[in-house]
């Protein structure tokens, strides 16, 4: 089970949308759907930039404004790794 807080932002022309996920928490769910409350928290911030395929050519101009490297991320995979695999 994953839980997080999300904030939404949009460019003035609304062609680009940005989501910021933080306060990530992951819980182990036992067989039968019972939550065991084995919680792992993460200080990670996940930023997603969303846009239509028509606006793909301009995304480099936006992504270069961030002071970090763009990577792929999955909150689901991060939750599995931190709760079941103890990583």
């Amino acid at each position: 089970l994953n839980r997080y807080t999300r904030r939404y932002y949009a460019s003035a022309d609304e062609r680009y949308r940005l989501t910021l996920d933080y306060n990530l928490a992951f819980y182990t769910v036992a067989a039968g759907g019972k939550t065991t409350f084995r919680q792992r928290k993460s200080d990670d911030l996940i930023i997603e930039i969303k846009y239509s395929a028509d606006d793909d050519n301009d995304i480099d101009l936006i992504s270069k404004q961030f002071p970090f490297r763009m990577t792929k991320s999955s909150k689901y995979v991060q939750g599995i790794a931190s709760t079941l695999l103890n990583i």
Side-chain angles (χ1 to χ4, degrees), residues 36-83:
T36 63
F37 293 104
R38 182 174 158 206
Q39 180 182 17
R40 305 271 181 179
K41 291 187 176 184
S42 171
D43 292 330
D44 289 353
L45 296 174
I46 298 176
I47 297 172
E48 297 177 13
I49 302 172
K50 302 170 189 225
Y51 54 92
S52 72
D54 294 339
D55 294 318
D56 191 51
N57 291 335
D58 296 329
I59 195 62
D60 282 342
L61 297 171
I62 294 170
S63 63
K64 287 180 183 178
Q65 302 303 311
F66 292 99
F68 42 79
R69 183 173 55 96
M70 297 288 187
T71 63
K72 293 188 178 190
S73 178
S74 166
K75 288 180 284 293
Y76 172 78
V77 171
Q78 189 176 357
I80 293 294
S82 66
T83 57

Side-chain angles (χ1 to χ4, degrees), residues 6-20 47-52 55 59 62 66:
R6 175 172 278 180
R7 294 226 172 168
Y8 297 91
Y9 302 91
S11 62
D13 60 7
E14 296 190 1
R15 290 173 43 210
Y16 300 95
R17 296 160 323 279
L18 185 138
T19 58
L20 172 63
I47 297 172
E48 297 177 13
I49 302 172
K50 302 170 189 225
Y51 54 92
S52 72
D55 294 318
I59 195 62
I62 294 170
F66 292 99

